[in-house]
Every structure is written in structure tokens, then in C-alpha cells.
Amino acid sequence: MSQKGSYGTIVGVNGNMLTVEFGESISQNEVGYAILGDKRLMAEVIRVRGTVADMQVFEDTQGLTVGGQVEFTDEMLSVELGPGLLTQVFDGLQNPLPRLAEQFGFFLERGNYISALPRDLTWDFAAVVNVGDTVMAGDTLGIVPEGLFQHRIMVPFSLRGVAKVKSIVSEGGYTVEQEVAVLETEAGDLSVSMVQTWPVKVPIRCFEERMKPTEQMITKQRILDTLFPVAKGGTFCVPGPFGAGKTVLQQLTSRHADVDVVVVAACGERAGEVVETLREFPHLTDPRTGKSLMERTIIICNTSSMPVAAREASVYTAVTLAEYYRQMGLSVLLLADSTSRWAQALREMSGRLEEIPGEEAFPAYLESVIASFYERAGIVRLRDGSIGSVTIGGTVSPAGGDFEEPVTQATLKVVGAFHGLSRERSDARRYPAIHPLDSWSKYPSLIESETLDLARQILRQGHDVEEMMKVVEEEGTAIEDFMMYLKADYLDASYLQQDAFNDVDAATSGERQKHVFDFVAKVLRTELKFQEHAEARQFFLSLTQTTRDWNRAEWESDEFKDVEKKLHQMLAEVTK
Amino acid sequence: MRKVYNKINQIAGSVITIQASGVAYNELAEITTDAGPALAQVISMRGDNVSLLVFAGTRGISTASEIRFLGKQLETSYTPALLGRVFDGSGRPRDKGPAMQENMIPIKGPAVNPAKRIIPKNMIRTGIPMIDIFNTLVESQKLPIFSIPGEPYNELLARIAMHAEVDLLILGGMGLKYDDYLFFRDTFEKEGILSRSILYVHTAADPSVECIQVPDTCLSVAEKFALDGKRVLVLLTDMTNYADSLKEIAITMEQIPSNRGYPGDLYSSLAARYERAVDFEGAGSITVLAVTTMPGDDVTHPVPDNTGYITEGQFYLRNGRIEPFGSLSRLKQQVNGETRGDHRQIMNTMIQLYASARDSMEKQSMGFRMSDWDLKLIKYSDRFESEMMDLSVALPLEEALDLGWKILSDIFEPSETGIPTRLIEQFWPRETAKVGAAPAE
Ligand SMILES: Nc1ncnc2c1ncn2[C@@H]1O[C@H](COP(=O)(O)OP(=O)(O)OP(=O)(O)O)[C@@H](O)[C@H]1O
Ligand SMILES: [Mg+2]
């Protein structure tokens, strides 16, 4: 790495890319600041050739000149890890946006940076190790309460080998920068505070083993949990054309998923959507904890009008924070909307570097970059035996809504579940507009597979009949076929579709899903005695209507039980 | 004194390259040509090689033309004296008024801190039922009008401008036909709204690249007025011309295109503009309506496609009407709960019935047998199209809702509409409710 405080000279400017001549050595992904008057604009080394480095600037480059100075920092692009991350709203480089607003007003003027963790807050630290104990990277030294959690203060993840605790502070309040322990390491004494920094592009690997994701992460969205489940530590993607419902689905998941911590990465999308989360979460109660949803949430917000290079950084910032909380034995969900914007940021930079382009001008390494991002998900056993997980779900915004494009294809190769949204379904207002025939998941569902196979088969056959009926009149369809169509439509309309704007229907617990699906499966299995098309259609119309009422009734309420009874009666009356 | 350069090494498309030093990125320069001074901006620097984009195009520029750097960025004047004025794409007067030099502001600005934004909550009334009832326009919203060439999209913009309850209108024309420019100017004048409007109009007769300043100019001026507490409506037409200029520059710069010749950063470029739509906490707002013509009526074309991913919904203008199915205001639910108790119901019911009517018409065209219900639906669809969808219909929201009830009750029984009893009792027109479905007309 370069000497701290070494300098380079700008020899080229092209959009947000600088070409910089440097004297001493520098390293890939090292951070430097371009000096512009009294402003310092943050940038990252992305390519080194001979004595020149190409750097992407995380700010607008207007006004920079050839001959201008760049100051290197000897540090890779990193984030701060410590108590106080939860509830915060950061930009892609971990600047806290509300505090930027307090200090600088309406606009994000370039060159303004604020440290992520407040320096003035004190945290109640209680040691869990004693002087003389042997520790390794990631081991817990002490804990501080942070909202809902016991936040672990850990041995810096960068420590190599073992160390001995030389001193540790007594119980009491400390700020993040105060020394809480001194460790004796091979390289000498190491002072430890409650904050450590970690380079965002390097995964945190302080765990015993990575396990297979099998435990389901309940999202309370029926079509997901039943048909296309996600496991804790797994990965999923949500591609779909514009307006199909990707963001709404992620917002629902961020509210209802049964995980400890949610990291929301708004990456190159609309600011207005983040504002909704930002303003609403503090007032929404998390049914798991009874506290505000904000207490388990971190928002990383690099919206489309914010600098493009920071968009690329934002997904890495988000996943690093997720890994940090995983190290505390927590289950963490990372939602990124939209990974396509991040891929586009890569494309822009690759174009400026004049690299040989792949399909649609995306860089040839797109696939490996996407793969290594999703690889940072996983469920792990930590050294103390506790289990932590990072689950990653990303939306994809394919050009023209066509899933054959490079980002969707690269993502599909590496994820464990595919929740594909269809324009056809969203136009018909069948929300969530996940296509029940095209989507898939490799994770186990809360419903046993035999029943699911039946449901899938009926959906497929019903679809075929529907296609057929477009050319033959309804009356001309055989009654058995017509019934298949009606059953498929019933499953779709009364179970797979879910009303996001009804308080009860918006979230269905796992227990309730099992219960309701039991009945739905019974309808699918039952042979019905209809002879007439109109009669059958009428029956299913009212069965759908009643099942929807059931969905809107509070779980186990009297109303719920009444409607359930009525449904069973309705079915009994028409059973063969 | 700044150095003057007079040796151009390369001229290609709208871009020239010279050798110069001490130049700042995005700095402006003035080029002396036989036809007078031309403005240019630094768009890339490599060692001493500096490339500049000449807004008026490079026609007539010689290798010996004089280039003087101005030490400033693109800027425009911001003053209340702008009201009622008409400028060209570069901010020069198109009317007989004076050139504006006072209080110059940069046309490119930093993004608004999301923490300072608020959730939009005010409806903008337009008097067009297809908007007000079905896809309500909301203050601070950014919405494109997707349309094919030949549709009356400029008439629609002008109509919205006439009725919209805002403090200020800013019109940005890009590649506008001269006749359309005159249409806007005359309509604004006739309707008496010119005095609270500012027009920046680049016409099809002007050098094409010059239009890339238009959105930034409009939006930076709008931003200042909004910070001053004003509710500003920005009308842009046509953003596809803007995108085509970006494409032209990218190709000249030999950038690798991503999709049908458009540059890879098209999304970012469009988003940077649209995202300036905002509701400032404790101040005014900017609402953006932007015409986006779709080449070949293809919504997957890169310009409408990228736009759809950025904006908060879209209006489809097709056959002279705002198409109810593809059109969507993503912010409507923020406001349509507070207008009148029947607003959401009328919105949903009328669209559902219209969708069913389409199915019936499809059946009819396939030669399938028509039931009484099918015939009713078709009758309904005729009235819906002529009395609601037609763009000449101008009604305040409340009257439009009443008209909705009238049409429904003329044709259907209450139970056929699926409207909850509570609303039927309150809103279903009395005379017809008693006698059931009255024959229409
Ligand atoms: N589950 C749902 N229930 C009801 N309405 C929905 C649902 N999902 C989406 N919508 C409607 O569709 C609109 C667009 O949804 P959303 O913003 O999630 O789309 P998107 O796929 O994220 O689009 P983009 O790619 O442009 O960001 C919403 O504003 C809402 O009106
Ligand atoms: Mg979205």
C-alpha cells in the first residue's frame, strides 16, 4: 500500500473516472481524495497500469483539472462496524443522511462526509472475557445493549491467529472510540474499541462452518412461502418489468419477514420509495417484538440521482453490515432494489475503462461479480456455537421486461429461488404478480411436497384449458376440463393473490397458511358434481368471494371460524 | 487573462478536440466562428487533449477557429422577471424581451437529500376525468405521457397546463415543431396563463444537440422557485428527442452503445432529471409531466422502457384518449382516499366493468353468442368512451364522479356492479334506483 498521505496527479477526466499518475505504490480498491479547492472528493482505485491508476469518483467531477492533486489514504473502501448502526439511514458510502440534512440542508453537496456512528453516544459495555483469556478474530469481548439486541463487541475480524486479553475495561458507559480492551498479538499490543472498520468488498469469514440453508424464512406472502419458499441463508431474485410490483413486494417482505435484522439497500431507484419506508417504519409495530420496525432496520439509500459510483459501493456496504450482525448470531435479511442499477454502474465504468464489452455492453466479468455478491449470503455456525445467517434477495429490472438479458440470466444461475413477475398478471391486477408457472425455488416449503405437486399440476392444466377456451367457446369445453380451469383459478384468486392494502390479508403467518391451504387443497382434490358450466362457474365465484372474506378475517376470530364453517358447508353441498 | 487557443485537432459530429492546459472538467468555452460565437463544454480530458461538445453543432467551425475558455459552468438566470418570457434552448430570448443576465445559477445541481423529502399528499386537479378519477396526478409526481407521433400529446399538455392548480408553469420544448411552439405560446397567451409561465423552447429547426440543456435549465429554475415556496409544474416535450441527442453525442465520442445505439448511462441521465421532481419539506414542489414518444409504438424501446423504470407511473395516449389499462399513477392512493367517499369505488368499478366489456367485444368479434350481460357491457363501454374517456371532456372531479354514477345507474342494476350497499345507498341516483335499469338514451 502507499504511504499514508502520498499523492498522485490527475492526467485525465472522463465523466466520473479519473486517470491519475502516482509516485509510490498503491493498491487496488484503495481510496483517494481528489482535491478541488476546499473540497475533497472521494474516489476508489479500480485499475492500475504502470504508473497510472484509473479511479472512480463517488461525486460529480465538474471542475477537476488535469494537473490536480489526489491524496491517497492507504485504506480500502471500508465501513464502520459498531453499536448504533440499527435504525440508521445511510448513503452508499455509509454517510448518515439525516445528519447530513441537519448540517447541510436540502441538498447533498459533494465532498461532505460524516462518520457513520455517532461519536458522542455512550454504550453500556459489559465484558464477557477475562484478562489472560485466549481469543481469535470474531470472538466476543463484551456486549452492549443496542435496542432489541445484545450487540457483541468482537475481536477485530482482521486479527490473524490467536491473541491474549491483556486488559479489559470494567462495566460502564463508553463511547465507540474509547478503548475497551488491549490484546496481546503476535504483532504487538492491539488496542480495541467498540468500532472496527472492514473493507466492503471482502466477505467477513470468522465462522466455524457454512451450513446448508434449510430452515424456512417466513415472509407471510402466501405465494412465496407456499410455492416458492426462501430459506434463511439462501438467495432469491425478483425480476420483472417496470411497474410489476418488485418494490411493493420487497417493502412487504421487509416488514413481515421473520428475521432479526433487515438491511434495505435502495440502489439506484426512486428516492420517493425510500422516503415511504423512512417515514412509515418508525410508526409501524413489529409484531415479533412489539417495538417499531425501524429498530431492526438499516436503510442504505443511494437513489438514482445520487452519484453512480456510490451505487456500486452501496450493495457492498449493505452486505457488509448484514454480515456484521450475522456475526452476533442473528438472522439478517438483505433486500437490494435494484441489482440492475448496480450492474449498470459497472457497465458505465467498464465503458470508460474501454474494456472489451460483453452482451449489451455489460462487462465480461458481470457474471462473476454477481455470483460473488450472492455468495456472501449463507447460514453459518459461529465459534461459540450460535447460528447466524444472511439471506439476500435482489430485484432485477430487465431492459424491455425481457428475462433473456444478461443481468437476469447471470442472477438466475446463482440464486436459490426465482420469483418472476409478469406484466400480464400485474396488468390484470393479480398481485403479487409472481408468475406461478415460471417461478421456482430450491428450498423446502412449509407445505408437504405431495400436495404442492398437485397444486402445481392443477395450475398447469388449468392454464392449458384457459388457452384452449380462447378459441373454443366456454360451452364447448368438456366439463372436466372446465372444472380444472375453475379450480386453478380458485387457487390463484383466493390463495396466491393477496391484498397488500388490507391489514389482515397483507400478512399470513405460517400457521395460518398451513390451515388455509389445507382447505384449498381439499377443494382441489374433491370431485364435484356439476353438469352445467354456468352452475360450476357460479359456485366457484361465490367460493372465491367467501374465501377472500376468510382471508380478511382476523386469525382464529369468531368471524374466521364462521366463514370457515360456511366454506366447508359450501363444499360439502357440491361434493360428488 | 485566459489563454486563447486557435488550433483544433479534430472535428467530428458535435465534438472538437484541442490541446489545452489548465482547463476544468465541464468548463464552458466560446468558439469564434464566421456565424458568430458558439458555446462549447468540456466533456473529456486526456493529458493535454481536451474534447468539447459544441452545442450548436460544428458546422462552419474551422481548424483555426478561436477558442476561449470562460472559467464557468453552464448557467441560467433566475429572477421573477422570467415570468411571461419565452427563450430558446440555450436561454436566449425568443420574444422581444431583453436577454437575461442577472442572478446566474448553475443548471446542474446536487441531488436532494432523501431525508429532506416528504411523502406527497396533494392532488393536482386537471379537469380531465381519466386523470382526476382514474389516475390522479399528485404534487411532486413525475409522469411521462407515452404516445406515438401524431397523437395530440401537446394539446393534452396544454389542457393540463390550463387547468392545473399550480403557481407556476415551466415548459421545456425539445425538437418541438415550430407550429407546436406557436400553438403553446398562443394558447398560453389566450388562456391568460403566460404571465405565470416560462417557456424554454428548442425547435426542430435548431441544432439538435442544443436541446440537451433544456431539461436542466427548466428544472434548475423550477427548483429555485420551489425553494421559494412555489408549486411548479414542469412540462417537457419531447424527452425522446432529448435521449436521441444523448445518443448522438455518445456515438460521436465512440462510446460502446448498450441498446439500439443508446449509451449505457441513459437510465442515469434520465433519472437525474426526473428525480428533481420533489416536495420540499417546508417549501414548494416540482411536478414533472414529460411527453415520451415511442418509436414504432414499442414500449420496450430503450427510451420509454428506461423512463418507465424511473417515473411514478405513466399515461398512455392512444387514439386520442388516455388508455385506462396501461396508464397508472403510482401515487394516486396517497390522495384519492381523501377526495370523496366514492372516489376509489367509482375508479375500480368503472374500470372493472370496462375490462369485462372488452372481453365481450372480443367475443363478439370472434362471432361467439352474445348474452344480455354482454350487450349491456357493450352499451356501457360506448358511453364510458364517449362521456369519460374523450379528451374533450372537461369536468371537475365531483361532477365527473356524479357522471360515473349516472352512467352506471342508466345501464346496470346496483347488484350488478358489485358496489358495497353502503355506497349504493349514499350515491346511487334515486330515480333510477327505484325502477331498476332504465333504458339508456
Ligand atoms: N401487491 C400489490 N398490491 C396492490 N398493488 C400493487 C402491488 N404490487 C404493485 N402494485 C401496484 O403497482 C405499482 C407499481 O409497483 P412497484 O413500484 O412495486 O413496481 P416495480 O416493479 O418496483 O417497478 P419499477 O421497476 O418501475 O420500480 C404500485 O404503485 C401499486 O399501485
Ligand atoms: Mg421498483
Side-chain angles (χ1 to χ4, degrees), chain A residues 92 265 267 300 310-320 334 336 339 342 373:
Chain A
C267 171
I300 310 292
R311 205 190 277 170
E312 198 233 331
S314 69
V315 295
Y316 292 107
T317 298
V319 74
T320 309
L334 165 62
T339 59
W342 155 55
F373 169 68

Side-chain angles (χ1 to χ4, degrees), chain A residues 11-15 60-66 97-98 100-101 105-110 240-243 246 268-273 275-276 278-280 301 303-306 308 311 341 344 347-348 351-352 354-355 357 360-361 397-401 427 429 469-473 475 501, chain B residues 22-26 41 43-48 73 106 108 110-119 142 146 223 227 256-259 263-265 267-268 271-272 275 280-281 283 299-300 304-306 308-312 314 316 324-328 330-334 366-369:
Chain A
V11 295
V13 186
N14 179 9
D60 192 310
T61 50
Q62 172 162 310
L64 288 175
T65 57
V66 167
L97 288 170
L100 275 178
F106 281 121
F107 295 98
L108 294 168
E109 301 281 357
R110 56 188 174 158
F242 66 77
K246 300 180 290 295
E269 293 284 306
R270 305 168 186 83
E273 293 166 349
V275 177
E276 276 178 40
L278 211 92
R279 302 257 167 178
E280 282 171 4
C301 161
T303 57
S304 57
S305 60
M306 288 158 76
V308 174
R311 205 190 277 170
R341 306 300 164 221
Q344 286 178 345
R347 175 167 73 185
E348 283 183 33
R352 298 219 165 88
E354 293 173 359
E355 293 171 337
E360 290 183 22
S397 316
D427 275 353
R429 305 285 188 264
M469 286 196 314
K470 282 183 185 155
V471 284
V472 207
E473 264 179 279
E475 298 296 325
F501 298 114
Chain B
V23 177
Y25 193 64
N26 280 357
Q41 184 182 29
I43 53 171
S44 120
M45 306 191 293
R46 196 171 285 202
D48 283 345
Q73 314 287 344
K108 223 166 94 180
V112 173
N113 187 330
K116 278 295 215 180
R117 287 176 183 257
I118 49 180
I119 298 182
K142 41 187 179 289
F146 287 162
E223 199 165 85
L227 285 169
I256 301 144
S258 67
N259 210 331
D265 62 359
Y267 172 86
S268 300
E275 281 281 314
F280 285 116
E281 190 170 15
V299 72
T300 67
D305 185 51
N306 278 290
Y309 277 117
I310 293 164
T311 51
E312 290 152 336
Q314 65 278 330
Y316 277 93
F325 296 120
S327 299
L328 175 70
R330 297 202 199 177
L331 300 186
K332 64 182 174 203
Q333 62 269 16
Q334 311 278 14
M366 304 267 296
F368 290 2
R369 194 162 37 84

Side-chain angles (χ1 to χ4, degrees), chain B residues 58-217:
Chain B
T58 51
R59 190 170 303 160
I61 289 183
S62 87
T63 52
S65 291
E66 236 171 50
I67 297 147
R68 221 159 37 85
F69 286 92
L70 303 176
K72 62 175 189 186
Q73 314 287 344
L74 272 176
E75 47 190 22
T76 193
S77 164
Y78 161 66
T79 141
L82 291 171
L83 292 174
R85 297 291 313 273
V86 185
F87 304 95
D88 71 5
S90 295
R92 290 175 297 246
R94 250 187 210 285
D95 53 15
K96 303 215 167 57
M100 306 302 283
Q101 303 288 349
E102 60 183 296
N103 195 22
M104 300 302 278
I105 57 165
I107 69 168
K108 223 166 94 180
V112 173
N113 187 330
K116 278 295 215 180
R117 287 176 183 257
I118 49 180
I119 298 182
K121 54 185 183 312
N122 300 319
M123 169 180 177
I124 295 184
R125 288 168 174 260
T126 66
I128 300 171
M130 291 315 289
I131 298 179
D132 290 0
I133 297 186
F134 299 100
N135 282 301
T136 320
L137 180 64
V138 179
E139 199 177 327
S140 87
Q141 190 162 21
K142 41 187 179 289
L143 265 182
I145 297 168
F146 287 162
S147 144
I148 54 169
E151 290 286 338
Y153 46 81
N154 285 329
E155 285 79 356
L156 176 61
L157 275 192
R159 279 227 21 223
I160 295 172
M162 284 185 274
H163 291 274
E165 296 172 319
V166 291
D167 301 320
L168 210 88
L169 292 157
I170 298 181
L171 175 79
M174 287 153 281
L176 205 58
K177 280 201 283 269
Y178 207 84
D179 294 354
D180 286 345
Y181 152 57
L182 295 178
F183 159 76
F184 274 115
R185 196 195 59 191
D186 298 346
T187 310
F188 278 31
E189 196 151 19
K190 195 171 80 216
E191 297 292 330
I193 53 174
L194 190 60
S195 59
R196 55 185 178 92
S197 307
I198 310 168
L199 279 57
Y200 296 95
V201 178
H202 166 272
T203 70
D206 302 327
S208 65
V209 166
E210 217 165 40
C211 85
I212 63 164
Q213 294 175 39
V214 171
D216 289 332
T217 306

